[in-house]
Amino acid sequence: MEWQNELTRLVKTSYPIVQAPMLGVTTPAMVAAISNAGGLGSLPVGGLSPDQTRSLILQTKALTTKPFAVNLFAHQNSPVNTAQADQMLQFLKKLCAQHQINYPKPDLNSIIFHSYEEQIDILLEENIPVVSFTFGILNKEVIHAFKEKGTVLIGTATYLAEATLLEQNGIDCITAQGMEAGGHRGTFLDSKTLPLIGSFSLIPLVAENCQVPVLAAGGIYNGKTIKAAFTLGAKGVQLGSAFISSNESLAIESYKKSIHDAAETDSVLTKTFSGRWARGIQNKFMMEVENSGLAIPDYPIQNALTTPLRVLAQKQNNKDFTTLWAGQSASKAESKPAGEIFQKLIKETESLP
């Protein structure tokens, strides 16, 4: 198989395979392992402070000299609905008490929401070669600043209208995120219903209507699915769930076990943890919030309200009260070094006729 194409030339990698940026799971070691193996590692910094952003970049640079991407959250923060948020806070406090969890209730007035615009100068100063983003589109001034620097920009689309808008704004590559993908949906245009377009429909649709390279995401986990994505018109693939159980992952042990034991139907869409639609394995927290009948505050408000609970649950290896983001093929994930997982993907693809 010929791996070199317009995407590898654009991002300067040996293989057109990208590790998905999974905030809370991805580590600098994982990013470096993929980049060192010839792919494109992706460092997630969405919503983090400028200091945290620079620290993670420097940690990654200490582990690789190869190109890697940094991923931003390109949304605009919504005003806080105080009454709605307070209702959710009271519910979370009661829920945790019922399960003997000491919920460290956050102060709504002290929560800080960092915008991607606070991170731009750091990315430019650190000469990040590839910047990917999701939840929206970067503003024109930021796009111009990156273009002046020669930075490659990759945006996320969940349906054709989003892909078209990204291309019209000069974005160099489009991640076509099928509904099978784990983690947060990248949807950003107003829509009455959440776009639930599968990869087999979305990839060719975007590839046929956009001139920039398409990166396929969702349901890709082995050589056959990689080759299928290329057949459908993609120039590259992005895999996330395949690396959740890797040695370099931050996922707690009960999270990894849940993935290995998961059936296809266990992966569901929910807004309960963050206020944005995301795909993960269903657990007690999801069901309790959904059954409460309460309105879920928008992202990033709900995300901030649940962060203390998730941090505590992870320390206790408690899978019922933290996020278990996973795609529909997550059960195929292996507990190996990320580099070995990557090399296996290459060999599987090359062995196919």
Side-chain angles (χ1 to χ4, degrees):
M1 177 171 177
E2 177 55 52
W3 290 107
Q4 288 293 298
N5 61 24
E6 55 190 292
L7 180 62
T8 57
R9 290 188 287 272
L10 188 66
V11 299
K12 296 179 173 56
T13 59
S14 299
Y15 303 101
I17 298 179
V18 178
Q19 160 252 317
M22 302 171 286
L23 192 64
V25 170
T26 302
T27 60
M30 182 191 294
V31 176
I34 301 306
S35 289
N36 287 336
L40 184 69
S42 301
L43 182 69
V45 300
L48 301 184
S49 71
D51 287 344
Q52 289 173 304
T53 300
R54 192 186 296 276
S55 175
L56 288 168
I57 289 171
L58 293 177
Q59 289 176 51
T60 307
K61 284 185 171 183
L63 298 171
T64 184
T65 58
K66 299 291 183 68
F68 63 89
V70 172
N71 180 259
L72 304 174
F73 290 167
H75 67 287
Q76 297 297 320
N77 288 326
S78 304
V80 179
N81 183 325
T82 306
Q84 192 181 72
D86 190 59
Q87 274 191 319
M88 182 57 68
L89 266 177
Q90 298 310 315
F91 170 78
L92 293 177
K93 186 177 179 181
K94 181 180 178 182
L95 175 65
C96 289
Q98 291 171 349
H99 293 276
Q100 293 77 52
I101 297 172
N102 184 23
Y103 174 56
K105 179 181 173 183
D107 178 4
L108 283 173
N109 297 317
S110 65
I111 296 174
I112 299 173
F113 301 108
H114 293 287
S115 165
Y116 75 89
E117 293 173 329
E118 299 174 56
Q119 301 167 305
I120 303 305
D121 286 345
I122 291 169
L123 272 58
L124 292 170
E125 290 167 10
E126 293 295 337
N127 296 308
I128 300 302
V130 183
V131 172
S132 61
F133 57 91
T134 189
F135 299 174
I137 185 167
L138 306 174
N139 68 46
K140 293 184 184 299
E141 292 76 16
V142 168
I143 291 174
H144 177 73
F146 280 130
K147 290 288 184 179
E148 287 269 290
K149 192 78 171 180
T151 309
V152 175
L153 297 177
I154 303 177
T156 306
T158 59
Y159 64 113
L160 183 58
E162 291 175 339
T164 301
L165 184 61
L166 291 170
E167 184 177 45
Q168 289 172 347
N169 279 270
I171 305 308
D172 302 296
C173 176
I174 297 168
T175 300
Q177 186 191 41
M179 65 173 288
E180 303 93 334
H184 282 97
R185 306 295 298 150
T187 304
F188 63 92
L189 287 181
D190 290 337
S191 179
K192 293 181 180 179
T193 57
L194 180 69
L196 293 175
I197 307 170
S199 294
F200 266 56
S201 294
L202 183 62
I203 296 166
L205 188 63
V206 176
E208 290 165 10
N209 288 277
C210 296
Q211 301 303 307
V212 298
V214 174
L215 188 60
I220 301 167
Y221 64 92
N222 63 5
K224 287 183 179 179
T225 49
I226 289 173
K227 192 161 187 178
F230 288 127
T231 301
L232 291 170
K235 296 299 181 182
V237 293
Q238 178 172 286
L239 296 84
S241 297
F243 298 107
I244 291 176
S245 289
S246 69
N247 295 8
E248 296 86 349
S249 169
L250 283 175
I252 57 177
E253 288 306 311
S254 60
Y255 181 0
K256 293 180 179 181
K257 187 177 188 304
S258 295
I259 284 178
H260 294 154
D261 296 343
E264 307 88 271
T265 52
D266 293 336
S267 177
V268 299
L269 288 166
T270 183
K271 294 177 74 173
T272 54
F273 277 107
S274 70
R276 279 191 69 93
W277 287 108
R279 180 176 293 284
I281 297 170
Q282 192 170 55
N283 61 9
K284 185 180 291 293
F285 180 85
M286 287 186 196
M287 292 186 285
E288 293 282 3
V289 175
E290 287 165 0
N291 291 337
S292 72
L294 290 175
I296 297 174
D298 290 336
Y299 181 90
I301 312 304
Q302 179 71 356
N303 192 65
L305 298 182
T306 66
T307 293
L309 173 58
R310 288 182 280 121
V311 169
L312 184 60
Q314 288 162 17
K315 288 180 180 177
Q316 298 173 347
N317 195 34
N318 183 347
K319 66 182 177 63
D320 282 320
F321 289 89
T322 190
T323 50
L324 306 173
W325 300 145
Q328 290 182 332
S329 300
S331 63
K332 310 298 192 302
E334 295 184 283
S335 299
K336 295 180 179 179
E340 286 188 22
I341 296 170
F342 185 90
Q343 291 298 338
K344 183 180 178 182
L345 293 169
I346 298 298
K347 290 177 182 177
E348 284 181 350
T349 309
E350 290 179 340
S351 68
L352 296 171

